[in-house]
Amino acid sequence: MSESIRTFDAVVVGAGFAGMYMLYRLREHGYRAVVFERADGVGGTWYWNRYPGARCDVESLEYSYSFSDALQQEWEWSERYSGQPEILKYANHVADRFDLRRDIEFETSVISAHYQNDEANWRIATDRNETVIAKYLIMATGCLSSTNLPAIEGISDFQGETYHTGQWPHEPVDLHGKRVGIIGTGSSAIQAIPYLAREAGELVVFQRTPNFSIPARNREADPDEVERVKGDYQGFREFNRKAPAAIRGTMPGRNESALDVPEDERNEELHKRWEHGGFAFMGAFNDLGLNKEANDIAAAFVREQIREIVDDPDVADTLSPDNVIGCKRLCLDTEYYETYNLPHVKLVDINKDPIQRLTKVGVKTDSTEYEFDVVVFATGFDAMTGTLLRVDIRGKDGLTLQQKWEEGPKTYLGLTTANFPNMFMISGPGSPSVLTNMIVSIEQHVDWITACLEYMREHEHAAINAESTAEEEWVAYVNAIAGMTLYPTCNSWYLGANIPGKPRVFMPHVGFPNYVQRCEEVVNNNYQGFELT
Ligand code: N01
């Protein structure tokens, strides 16, 4: 019996916020599409990251879809910053409301996607032993979806429970009275630690690099603010899209250099923003991300707050970063620093006392063997490229994406990569993605891709392929903008520096409005930089 192969106009990989909206638009325009999703539900990042305390740090009224006014009017967020369960509920609501599930195939991973030159389409294989054919391959696989488990010796020897924050179990994990160790102090750990400390009998935090964290000051949603925003939601969205990171928050940025403001006024501004909470802190002055001297002022202010909050001066010192604030992703917290005043919480600086290995009973450092019932890895992700490179993607003439990106990701607009025709990436490397409100960036990419597909249909084009020169110029441009900021000055995951052996390339595009403008120029110039056949 001959194998029957299903064919589609488009295959979308991933049913997070990007994949769901992509499906909605494809259907709206009459394309036959299927979404393959490895999980058994929608939500992407919010499906996987269920660790205690997981919460979005973009305010709820902004961190939501704008494509349907009915949706944004009817949905009620309960808090200033939504917790993971509420965001996942929202994702499920969107899937039901727009009847998306009938075209999503869950518990199905795409393992390979090979471009067929002669047919100008993609042959895509899943782990269900199925092959499908589609003209378009759309990777909506997320920027932070491949977890990073460090190569610490003895992980499999440990006889207690181990968890990764990015793959937290769906059923509640009982930590009551248990001895818990946590490795890592990034955003996930900084959110989880206060919650773990509430339950654990003993909590030991292993820190390699301290991070700057600003209080989130989460609270219940303010009905007056909700009413005001819903009164002109589209106007609110448009205004936010013009902000550098497409996030406006509830306190406008101040358009003045920190160096031009007298010291007492400077402190007052920083205090006001520390009390207000959230990313508004970095909007205190317009050069905190650009000028080291200005940045030092804000960094010193946060160190001062840490010293005030944390009782033990040595612990405060260990928690105080000495690098550029905002160079690594700024964290938002609820009582993170306060947690270190609890008698059952201990901080271990693994620069001074390195982890040697995990043992049967716990974690062994140079000086001590700590015994645990549970070890939590809050060790982050192989960001931006990890998930794309785990799929065997082959473009023209069998070129693999792994070969092509050996020295780092190369894309045109962060949406396409040369010699992989008809393949799109939503929030791919080289696009603003993780430096913005992700949902705004996702919507912009999905709308751009949809318009491109419509253009191709109208002009009867079989394939779209980025030109190598356009791509080289784009990569150089993305690097040049990053080079104008303080971002490249530290070992962040934006640079791939958290993964041993990963090429060191600054991956996201800095700035949203300037990026949108470039994307529009490309379209207005008949898809400049693309070869259409
Ligand atoms: O991961 P991270 P994350 N030995 O990479 C440490 C988004 N997010 O999951 O800094 C010991 O930031 C590592 O140490 P170092 C957000 O974009 C958003 O916390 O490399 N330690 C670091 O402390 C965020 O940036 C939200 O020296 C090791 C930690 O593990 C991104 O996700 C919430 C180690 C990893 O920190 C990732 O955050 C949460 C080793 N071998 C996350 N390897 C919200 O929206 C790594 N570490 C709220």
PDB file of all heavy atoms in Angstrom, residues 46 51 55-57 144 148 150 152 165 183-189 191 208-209 211 328-329 350 378-381 493 498, ligand 1:
ATOM      1  N   TRP A  46       4.516  29.374  28.586  1.00  0.00           N
ATOM      2  CA  TRP A  46       3.645  29.401  29.771  1.00  0.00           C
ATOM      3  C   TRP A  46       3.059  28.031  30.058  1.00  0.00           C
ATOM      4  O   TRP A  46       2.451  27.803  31.101  1.00  0.00           O
ATOM      5  CB  TRP A  46       2.557  30.471  29.610  1.00  0.00           C
ATOM      6  CG  TRP A  46       3.193  31.814  29.452  1.00  0.00           C
ATOM      7  CD1 TRP A  46       3.294  32.534  28.308  1.00  0.00           C
ATOM      8  CD2 TRP A  46       3.879  32.565  30.460  1.00  0.00           C
ATOM      9  NE1 TRP A  46       3.995  33.698  28.542  1.00  0.00           N
ATOM     10  CE2 TRP A  46       4.353  33.745  29.852  1.00  0.00           C
ATOM     11  CE3 TRP A  46       4.128  32.362  31.827  1.00  0.00           C
ATOM     12  CZ2 TRP A  46       5.074  34.720  30.555  1.00  0.00           C
ATOM     13  CZ3 TRP A  46       4.835  33.334  32.522  1.00  0.00           C
ATOM     14  CH2 TRP A  46       5.296  34.488  31.882  1.00  0.00           C
ATOM     15  N   TYR A  51       7.051  26.709  37.365  1.00  0.00           N
ATOM     16  CA  TYR A  51       7.711  26.711  38.684  1.00  0.00           C
ATOM     17  C   TYR A  51       6.981  27.678  39.620  1.00  0.00           C
ATOM     18  O   TYR A  51       6.344  28.641  39.162  1.00  0.00           O
ATOM     19  CB  TYR A  51       9.196  27.092  38.536  1.00  0.00           C
ATOM     20  CG  TYR A  51       9.428  28.442  37.899  1.00  0.00           C
ATOM     21  CD1 TYR A  51       9.433  29.609  38.648  1.00  0.00           C
ATOM     22  CD2 TYR A  51       9.634  28.569  36.521  1.00  0.00           C
ATOM     23  CE1 TYR A  51       9.634  30.854  38.066  1.00  0.00           C
ATOM     24  CE2 TYR A  51       9.831  29.793  35.923  1.00  0.00           C
ATOM     25  CZ  TYR A  51       9.827  30.938  36.709  1.00  0.00           C
ATOM     26  OH  TYR A  51      10.012  32.166  36.126  1.00  0.00           O
ATOM     27  N   ARG A  55       5.823  34.275  36.776  1.00  0.00           N
ATOM     28  CA  ARG A  55       4.946  35.430  36.553  1.00  0.00           C
ATOM     29  C   ARG A  55       5.550  36.246  35.432  1.00  0.00           C
ATOM     30  O   ARG A  55       6.764  36.297  35.276  1.00  0.00           O
ATOM     31  CB  ARG A  55       4.925  36.250  37.858  1.00  0.00           C
ATOM     32  CG  ARG A  55       4.001  37.438  37.866  1.00  0.00           C
ATOM     33  CD  ARG A  55       3.986  38.103  39.242  1.00  0.00           C
ATOM     34  NE  ARG A  55       3.407  37.266  40.303  1.00  0.00           N
ATOM     35  CZ  ARG A  55       2.118  36.997  40.439  1.00  0.00           C
ATOM     36  NH1 ARG A  55       1.242  37.507  39.598  1.00  0.00           N
ATOM     37  NH2 ARG A  55       1.690  36.225  41.407  1.00  0.00           N
ATOM     38  N   CYS A  56       4.709  36.887  34.654  1.00  0.00           N
ATOM     39  CA  CYS A  56       5.223  37.723  33.573  1.00  0.00           C
ATOM     40  C   CYS A  56       5.695  39.051  34.149  1.00  0.00           C
ATOM     41  O   CYS A  56       5.112  39.552  35.100  1.00  0.00           O
ATOM     42  CB  CYS A  56       4.120  37.978  32.553  1.00  0.00           C
ATOM     43  SG  CYS A  56       4.752  38.850  31.126  1.00  0.00           S
ATOM     44  N   ASP A  57       6.736  39.620  33.600  1.00  0.00           N
ATOM     45  CA  ASP A  57       7.128  40.921  34.132  1.00  0.00           C
ATOM     46  C   ASP A  57       6.850  42.062  33.159  1.00  0.00           C
ATOM     47  O   ASP A  57       7.387  43.157  33.311  1.00  0.00           O
ATOM     48  CB  ASP A  57       8.555  40.922  34.709  1.00  0.00           C
ATOM     49  CG  ASP A  57       9.539  40.292  33.789  1.00  0.00           C
ATOM     50  OD1 ASP A  57       9.225  40.196  32.601  1.00  0.00           O
ATOM     51  OD2 ASP A  57      10.639  39.925  34.260  1.00  0.00           O
ATOM     52  N   LEU A 144      12.973  30.747  24.143  1.00  0.00           N
ATOM     53  CA  LEU A 144      13.495  30.162  25.382  1.00  0.00           C
ATOM     54  C   LEU A 144      12.768  28.848  25.631  1.00  0.00           C
ATOM     55  O   LEU A 144      11.995  28.715  26.576  1.00  0.00           O
ATOM     56  CB  LEU A 144      13.274  31.144  26.543  1.00  0.00           C
ATOM     57  CG  LEU A 144      14.049  32.459  26.422  1.00  0.00           C
ATOM     58  CD1 LEU A 144      13.424  33.561  27.264  1.00  0.00           C
ATOM     59  CD2 LEU A 144      15.502  32.273  26.829  1.00  0.00           C
ATOM     60  N   ASN A 148      18.524  24.346  29.467  1.00  0.00           N
ATOM     61  CA  ASN A 148      19.963  24.088  29.603  1.00  0.00           C
ATOM     62  C   ASN A 148      20.227  23.388  30.931  1.00  0.00           C
ATOM     63  O   ASN A 148      20.022  23.974  31.994  1.00  0.00           O
ATOM     64  CB  ASN A 148      20.717  25.431  29.561  1.00  0.00           C
ATOM     65  CG  ASN A 148      22.158  25.286  30.008  1.00  0.00           C
ATOM     66  OD1 ASN A 148      22.849  24.341  29.618  1.00  0.00           O
ATOM     67  ND2 ASN A 148      22.622  26.211  30.843  1.00  0.00           N
ATOM     68  N   PRO A 150      23.180  22.044  33.033  1.00  0.00           N
ATOM     69  CA  PRO A 150      24.645  22.148  32.971  1.00  0.00           C
ATOM     70  C   PRO A 150      25.318  20.789  33.108  1.00  0.00           C
ATOM     71  O   PRO A 150      24.756  19.861  33.691  1.00  0.00           O
ATOM     72  CB  PRO A 150      24.989  23.058  34.151  1.00  0.00           C
ATOM     73  CG  PRO A 150      23.827  23.041  35.043  1.00  0.00           C
ATOM     74  CD  PRO A 150      22.620  22.662  34.235  1.00  0.00           C
ATOM     75  N   ILE A 152      27.185  19.284  35.006  1.00  0.00           N
ATOM     76  CA  ILE A 152      27.783  19.061  36.329  1.00  0.00           C
ATOM     77  C   ILE A 152      27.841  17.543  36.534  1.00  0.00           C
ATOM     78  O   ILE A 152      26.861  16.842  36.277  1.00  0.00           O
ATOM     79  CB  ILE A 152      26.937  19.731  37.437  1.00  0.00           C
ATOM     80  CG1 ILE A 152      26.854  21.248  37.199  1.00  0.00           C
ATOM     81  CG2 ILE A 152      27.516  19.438  38.819  1.00  0.00           C
ATOM     82  CD1 ILE A 152      25.924  21.986  38.155  1.00  0.00           C
ATOM     83  N   THR A 165      13.426  24.492  36.215  1.00  0.00           N
ATOM     84  CA  THR A 165      12.327  25.479  36.248  1.00  0.00           C
ATOM     85  C   THR A 165      11.570  25.521  34.916  1.00  0.00           C
ATOM     86  O   THR A 165      10.360  25.748  34.897  1.00  0.00           O
ATOM     87  CB  THR A 165      12.867  26.895  36.563  1.00  0.00           C
ATOM     88  OG1 THR A 165      14.014  27.131  35.738  1.00  0.00           O
ATOM     89  CG2 THR A 165      13.226  27.052  38.023  1.00  0.00           C
ATOM     90  N   ILE A 183      20.184  25.701  41.904  1.00  0.00           N
ATOM     91  CA  ILE A 183      21.393  26.155  41.189  1.00  0.00           C
ATOM     92  C   ILE A 183      20.966  27.200  40.170  1.00  0.00           C
ATOM     93  O   ILE A 183      20.116  26.929  39.317  1.00  0.00           O
ATOM     94  CB  ILE A 183      22.099  24.963  40.503  1.00  0.00           C
ATOM     95  CG1 ILE A 183      22.497  23.930  41.575  1.00  0.00           C
ATOM     96  CG2 ILE A 183      23.327  25.438  39.706  1.00  0.00           C
ATOM     97  CD1 ILE A 183      23.111  22.651  41.021  1.00  0.00           C
ATOM     98  N   GLY A 184      21.547  28.387  40.263  1.00  0.00           N
ATOM     99  CA  GLY A 184      21.219  29.466  39.329  1.00  0.00           C
ATOM    100  C   GLY A 184      20.487  30.595  40.023  1.00  0.00           C
ATOM    101  O   GLY A 184      19.728  30.371  40.976  1.00  0.00           O
ATOM    102  N   THR A 185      20.755  31.812  39.551  1.00  0.00           N
ATOM    103  CA  THR A 185      20.093  33.002  40.111  1.00  0.00           C
ATOM    104  C   THR A 185      19.699  33.971  38.993  1.00  0.00           C
ATOM    105  O   THR A 185      19.945  35.178  39.075  1.00  0.00           O
ATOM    106  CB  THR A 185      21.005  33.717  41.144  1.00  0.00           C
ATOM    107  OG1 THR A 185      22.300  33.896  40.547  1.00  0.00           O
ATOM    108  CG2 THR A 185      21.121  32.970  42.438  1.00  0.00           C
ATOM    109  N   GLY A 186      19.093  33.425  37.918  1.00  0.00           N
ATOM    110  CA  GLY A 186      18.547  34.279  36.858  1.00  0.00           C
ATOM    111  C   GLY A 186      17.095  34.626  37.181  1.00  0.00           C
ATOM    112  O   GLY A 186      16.625  34.424  38.306  1.00  0.00           O
ATOM    113  N   SER A 187      16.361  35.119  36.177  1.00  0.00           N
ATOM    114  CA  SER A 187      14.964  35.552  36.394  1.00  0.00           C
ATOM    115  C   SER A 187      14.109  34.459  37.011  1.00  0.00           C
ATOM    116  O   SER A 187      13.310  34.726  37.917  1.00  0.00           O
ATOM    117  CB  SER A 187      14.300  35.919  35.067  1.00  0.00           C
ATOM    118  OG  SER A 187      14.948  36.976  34.468  1.00  0.00           O
ATOM    119  N   SER A 188      14.271  33.224  36.511  1.00  0.00           N
ATOM    120  CA  SER A 188      13.408  32.132  37.002  1.00  0.00           C
ATOM    121  C   SER A 188      13.688  31.877  38.481  1.00  0.00           C
ATOM    122  O   SER A 188      12.762  31.773  39.293  1.00  0.00           O
ATOM    123  CB  SER A 188      13.669  30.841  36.210  1.00  0.00           C
ATOM    124  OG  SER A 188      13.455  31.052  34.841  1.00  0.00           O
ATOM    125  N   ALA A 189      14.966  31.786  38.832  1.00  0.00           N
ATOM    126  CA  ALA A 189      15.329  31.513  40.223  1.00  0.00           C
ATOM    127  C   ALA A 189      14.872  32.662  41.121  1.00  0.00           C
ATOM    128  O   ALA A 189      14.349  32.434  42.222  1.00  0.00           O
ATOM    129  CB  ALA A 189      16.836  31.330  40.347  1.00  0.00           C
ATOM    130  N   GLN A 191      12.427  34.609  40.827  1.00  0.00           N
ATOM    131  CA  GLN A 191      10.991  34.505  41.097  1.00  0.00           C
ATOM    132  C   GLN A 191      10.679  33.310  41.992  1.00  0.00           C
ATOM    133  O   GLN A 191       9.792  33.376  42.834  1.00  0.00           O
ATOM    134  CB  GLN A 191      10.222  34.331  39.785  1.00  0.00           C
ATOM    135  CG  GLN A 191      10.193  35.592  38.947  1.00  0.00           C
ATOM    136  CD  GLN A 191       9.239  35.448  37.764  1.00  0.00           C
ATOM    137  OE1 GLN A 191       9.072  34.358  37.218  1.00  0.00           O
ATOM    138  NE2 GLN A 191       8.628  36.538  37.374  1.00  0.00           N
ATOM    139  N   ARG A 208      26.292  31.649  40.854  1.00  0.00           N
ATOM    140  CA  ARG A 208      27.555  31.864  40.127  1.00  0.00           C
ATOM    141  C   ARG A 208      27.738  33.358  39.866  1.00  0.00           C
ATOM    142  O   ARG A 208      28.791  33.918  40.110  1.00  0.00           O
ATOM    143  CB  ARG A 208      27.543  31.071  38.817  1.00  0.00           C
ATOM    144  CG  ARG A 208      28.871  31.087  38.109  1.00  0.00           C
ATOM    145  CD  ARG A 208      28.986  29.988  37.085  1.00  0.00           C
ATOM    146  NE  ARG A 208      28.123  30.219  35.927  1.00  0.00           N
ATOM    147  CZ  ARG A 208      28.041  29.396  34.898  1.00  0.00           C
ATOM    148  NH1 ARG A 208      28.757  28.282  34.891  1.00  0.00           N
ATOM    149  NH2 ARG A 208      27.245  29.660  33.886  1.00  0.00           N
ATOM    150  N   THR A 209      26.677  33.990  39.319  1.00  0.00           N
ATOM    151  CA  THR A 209      26.755  35.433  39.060  1.00  0.00           C
ATOM    152  C   THR A 209      25.526  36.101  39.672  1.00  0.00           C
ATOM    153  O   THR A 209      24.401  35.689  39.368  1.00  0.00           O
ATOM    154  CB  THR A 209      26.735  35.711  37.535  1.00  0.00           C
ATOM    155  OG1 THR A 209      27.618  34.800  36.887  1.00  0.00           O
ATOM    156  CG2 THR A 209      27.130  37.137  37.229  1.00  0.00           C
ATOM    157  N   ASN A 211      22.555  38.781  40.078  1.00  0.00           N
ATOM    158  CA  ASN A 211      21.802  39.544  39.082  1.00  0.00           C
ATOM    159  C   ASN A 211      21.156  40.749  39.728  1.00  0.00           C
ATOM    160  O   ASN A 211      20.779  40.700  40.896  1.00  0.00           O
ATOM    161  CB  ASN A 211      20.677  38.661  38.521  1.00  0.00           C
ATOM    162  CG  ASN A 211      21.035  38.117  37.169  1.00  0.00           C
ATOM    163  OD1 ASN A 211      21.361  38.867  36.259  1.00  0.00           O
ATOM    164  ND2 ASN A 211      20.986  36.809  37.036  1.00  0.00           N
ATOM    165  N   LYS A 328      22.704  41.919  31.472  1.00  0.00           N
ATOM    166  CA  LYS A 328      21.937  40.673  31.491  1.00  0.00           C
ATOM    167  C   LYS A 328      20.498  41.101  31.684  1.00  0.00           C
ATOM    168  O   LYS A 328      20.227  42.182  32.209  1.00  0.00           O
ATOM    169  CB  LYS A 328      22.364  39.810  32.676  1.00  0.00           C
ATOM    170  CG  LYS A 328      23.703  39.142  32.448  1.00  0.00           C
ATOM    171  CD  LYS A 328      23.967  38.097  33.492  1.00  0.00           C
ATOM    172  CE  LYS A 328      25.206  37.328  33.130  1.00  0.00           C
ATOM    173  NZ  LYS A 328      25.394  36.131  33.895  1.00  0.00           N
ATOM    174  N   ARG A 329      19.567  40.260  31.324  1.00  0.00           N
ATOM    175  CA  ARG A 329      18.147  40.589  31.457  1.00  0.00           C
ATOM    176  C   ARG A 329      17.848  41.040  32.891  1.00  0.00           C
ATOM    177  O   ARG A 329      18.148  40.319  33.846  1.00  0.00           O
ATOM    178  CB  ARG A 329      17.348  39.344  31.070  1.00  0.00           C
ATOM    179  CG  ARG A 329      15.900  39.308  31.432  1.00  0.00           C
ATOM    180  CD  ARG A 329      15.077  40.233  30.564  1.00  0.00           C
ATOM    181  NE  ARG A 329      13.748  39.750  30.317  1.00  0.00           N
ATOM    182  CZ  ARG A 329      12.831  39.483  31.224  1.00  0.00           C
ATOM    183  NH1 ARG A 329      13.114  39.579  32.504  1.00  0.00           N
ATOM    184  NH2 ARG A 329      11.645  39.082  30.850  1.00  0.00           N
ATOM    185  N   ILE A 350      29.439  30.155  44.455  1.00  0.00           N
ATOM    186  CA  ILE A 350      30.216  29.032  43.909  1.00  0.00           C
ATOM    187  C   ILE A 350      31.495  29.494  43.199  1.00  0.00           C
ATOM    188  O   ILE A 350      32.273  28.670  42.734  1.00  0.00           O
ATOM    189  CB  ILE A 350      29.366  28.086  43.016  1.00  0.00           C
ATOM    190  CG1 ILE A 350      28.846  28.795  41.767  1.00  0.00           C
ATOM    191  CG2 ILE A 350      28.245  27.451  43.804  1.00  0.00           C
ATOM    192  CD1 ILE A 350      28.244  27.833  40.754  1.00  0.00           C
ATOM    193  N   ALA A 378      17.823  25.969  37.942  1.00  0.00           N
ATOM    194  CA  ALA A 378      17.220  27.186  37.372  1.00  0.00           C
ATOM    195  C   ALA A 378      18.282  27.745  36.422  1.00  0.00           C
ATOM    196  O   ALA A 378      18.690  28.900  36.512  1.00  0.00           O
ATOM    197  CB  ALA A 378      16.887  28.181  38.474  1.00  0.00           C
ATOM    198  N   THR A 379      18.737  26.868  35.541  1.00  0.00           N
ATOM    199  CA  THR A 379      19.957  27.147  34.777  1.00  0.00           C
ATOM    200  C   THR A 379      19.685  27.597  33.341  1.00  0.00           C
ATOM    201  O   THR A 379      20.580  27.571  32.502  1.00  0.00           O
ATOM    202  CB  THR A 379      20.869  25.897  34.807  1.00  0.00           C
ATOM    203  OG1 THR A 379      20.062  24.735  34.603  1.00  0.00           O
ATOM    204  CG2 THR A 379      21.582  25.765  36.128  1.00  0.00           C
ATOM    205  N   GLY A 380      18.461  28.012  33.071  1.00  0.00           N
ATOM    206  CA  GLY A 380      18.201  28.725  31.828  1.00  0.00           C
ATOM    207  C   GLY A 380      18.034  27.864  30.593  1.00  0.00           C
ATOM    208  O   GLY A 380      17.704  26.665  30.671  1.00  0.00           O
ATOM    209  N   PHE A 381      18.334  28.482  29.466  1.00  0.00           N
ATOM    210  CA  PHE A 381      17.968  27.917  28.161  1.00  0.00           C
ATOM    211  C   PHE A 381      19.101  28.085  27.148  1.00  0.00           C
ATOM    212  O   PHE A 381      19.904  29.005  27.246  1.00  0.00           O
ATOM    213  CB  PHE A 381      16.730  28.665  27.617  1.00  0.00           C
ATOM    214  CG  PHE A 381      15.555  28.589  28.543  1.00  0.00           C
ATOM    215  CD1 PHE A 381      15.376  29.522  29.565  1.00  0.00           C
ATOM    216  CD2 PHE A 381      14.630  27.560  28.429  1.00  0.00           C
ATOM    217  CE1 PHE A 381      14.305  29.443  30.442  1.00  0.00           C
ATOM    218  CE2 PHE A 381      13.552  27.470  29.293  1.00  0.00           C
ATOM    219  CZ  PHE A 381      13.390  28.406  30.303  1.00  0.00           C
ATOM    220  N   TRP A 493      22.987  35.488  28.009  1.00  0.00           N
ATOM    221  CA  TRP A 493      22.473  34.504  27.045  1.00  0.00           C
ATOM    222  C   TRP A 493      22.110  35.186  25.726  1.00  0.00           C
ATOM    223  O   TRP A 493      21.973  34.522  24.711  1.00  0.00           O
ATOM    224  CB  TRP A 493      21.335  33.666  27.616  1.00  0.00           C
ATOM    225  CG  TRP A 493      20.100  34.374  28.101  1.00  0.00           C
ATOM    226  CD1 TRP A 493      19.745  34.606  29.402  1.00  0.00           C
ATOM    227  CD2 TRP A 493      19.027  34.894  27.303  1.00  0.00           C
ATOM    228  NE1 TRP A 493      18.530  35.252  29.460  1.00  0.00           N
ATOM    229  CE2 TRP A 493      18.069  35.441  28.186  1.00  0.00           C
ATOM    230  CE3 TRP A 493      18.773  34.958  25.934  1.00  0.00           C
ATOM    231  CZ2 TRP A 493      16.887  36.044  27.747  1.00  0.00           C
ATOM    232  CZ3 TRP A 493      17.598  35.560  25.498  1.00  0.00           C
ATOM    233  CH2 TRP A 493      16.670  36.101  26.394  1.00  0.00           C
ATOM    234  N   ASN A 498      26.017  31.710  27.804  1.00  0.00           N
ATOM    235  CA  ASN A 498      25.673  30.765  28.887  1.00  0.00           C
ATOM    236  C   ASN A 498      25.842  29.306  28.466  1.00  0.00           C
ATOM    237  O   ASN A 498      25.755  28.419  29.296  1.00  0.00           O
ATOM    238  CB  ASN A 498      24.222  31.000  29.351  1.00  0.00           C
ATOM    239  CG  ASN A 498      23.207  30.722  28.254  1.00  0.00           C
ATOM    240  OD1 ASN A 498      23.493  30.954  27.083  1.00  0.00           O
ATOM    241  ND2 ASN A 498      22.049  30.235  28.600  1.00  0.00           N
TER     242      ASN A 498
HETATM  243  O1  N01 B   1      17.848  31.567  33.006  1.00  0.00           O
HETATM  244  P1  N01 B   1      19.161  32.494  33.029  1.00  0.00           P
HETATM  245  P2  N01 B   1      16.398  31.889  33.581  1.00  0.00           P
HETATM  246  N1  N01 B   1      26.645  26.263  37.365  1.00  0.00           N
HETATM  247  O2  N01 B   1      20.016  32.019  31.924  1.00  0.00           O
HETATM  248  C1  N01 B   1      23.170  29.806  36.267  1.00  0.00           C
HETATM  249  C2  N01 B   1      13.027  34.757  30.671  1.00  0.00           C
HETATM  250  N2  N01 B   1      12.210  34.699  31.869  1.00  0.00           N
HETATM  251  O3  N01 B   1      15.565  30.695  33.335  1.00  0.00           O
HETATM  252  O4  N01 B   1      24.770  33.962  35.192  1.00  0.00           O
HETATM  253  C3  N01 B   1      26.059  27.187  38.119  1.00  0.00           C
HETATM  254  O5  N01 B   1      18.844  33.913  33.120  1.00  0.00           O
HETATM  255  C4  N01 B   1      23.502  31.116  35.610  1.00  0.00           C
HETATM  256  O6  N01 B   1      24.704  31.649  36.109  1.00  0.00           O
HETATM  257  P3  N01 B   1      25.568  32.687  35.197  1.00  0.00           P
HETATM  258  C5  N01 B   1      13.922  35.976  30.758  1.00  0.00           C
HETATM  259  O7  N01 B   1      14.103  36.505  29.492  1.00  0.00           O
HETATM  260  C6  N01 B   1      11.223  35.604  31.975  1.00  0.00           C
HETATM  261  O8  N01 B   1      16.472  32.398  34.943  1.00  0.00           O
HETATM  262  O9  N01 B   1      25.621  32.081  33.826  1.00  0.00           O
HETATM  263  N3  N01 B   1      25.157  28.063  37.701  1.00  0.00           N
HETATM  264  C7  N01 B   1      22.258  31.915  35.967  1.00  0.00           C
HETATM  265  O10 N01 B   1      22.314  32.416  37.257  1.00  0.00           O
HETATM  266  C8  N01 B   1      15.181  35.384  31.323  1.00  0.00           C
HETATM  267  O11 N01 B   1      16.326  36.160  31.108  1.00  0.00           O
HETATM  268  C9  N01 B   1      10.471  35.632  33.088  1.00  0.00           C
HETATM  269  O12 N01 B   1      26.861  32.757  35.878  1.00  0.00           O
HETATM  270  C10 N01 B   1      24.810  27.993  36.429  1.00  0.00           C
HETATM  271  C11 N01 B   1      21.157  30.850  35.895  1.00  0.00           C
HETATM  272  O13 N01 B   1      21.791  29.605  36.032  1.00  0.00           O
HETATM  273  C12 N01 B   1      15.204  34.055  30.618  1.00  0.00           C
HETATM  274  O14 N01 B   1      13.862  33.626  30.632  1.00  0.00           O
HETATM  275  C13 N01 B   1      10.710  34.748  34.114  1.00  0.00           C
HETATM  276  C14 N01 B   1      25.364  27.041  35.552  1.00  0.00           C
HETATM  277  C15 N01 B   1      20.431  30.871  34.575  1.00  0.00           C
HETATM  278  O15 N01 B   1      19.810  32.101  34.420  1.00  0.00           O
HETATM  279  C16 N01 B   1      16.068  33.010  31.260  1.00  0.00           C
HETATM  280  O16 N01 B   1      15.897  33.057  32.662  1.00  0.00           O
HETATM  281  C17 N01 B   1      11.716  33.829  33.988  1.00  0.00           C
HETATM  282  C18 N01 B   1      26.319  26.151  36.076  1.00  0.00           C
HETATM  283  N4  N01 B   1      26.928  25.245  35.302  1.00  0.00           N
HETATM  284  C19 N01 B   1      12.471  33.812  32.864  1.00  0.00           C
HETATM  285  N5  N01 B   1      24.799  27.210  34.339  1.00  0.00           N
HETATM  286  C20 N01 B   1       9.406  36.644  33.201  1.00  0.00           C
HETATM  287  O17 N01 B   1       8.813  37.166  32.286  1.00  0.00           O
HETATM  288  C21 N01 B   1      23.931  28.235  34.450  1.00  0.00           C
HETATM  289  N6  N01 B   1      23.942  28.698  35.721  1.00  0.00           N
HETATM  290  C22 N01 B   1       9.110  37.028  34.511  1.00  0.00           C
END
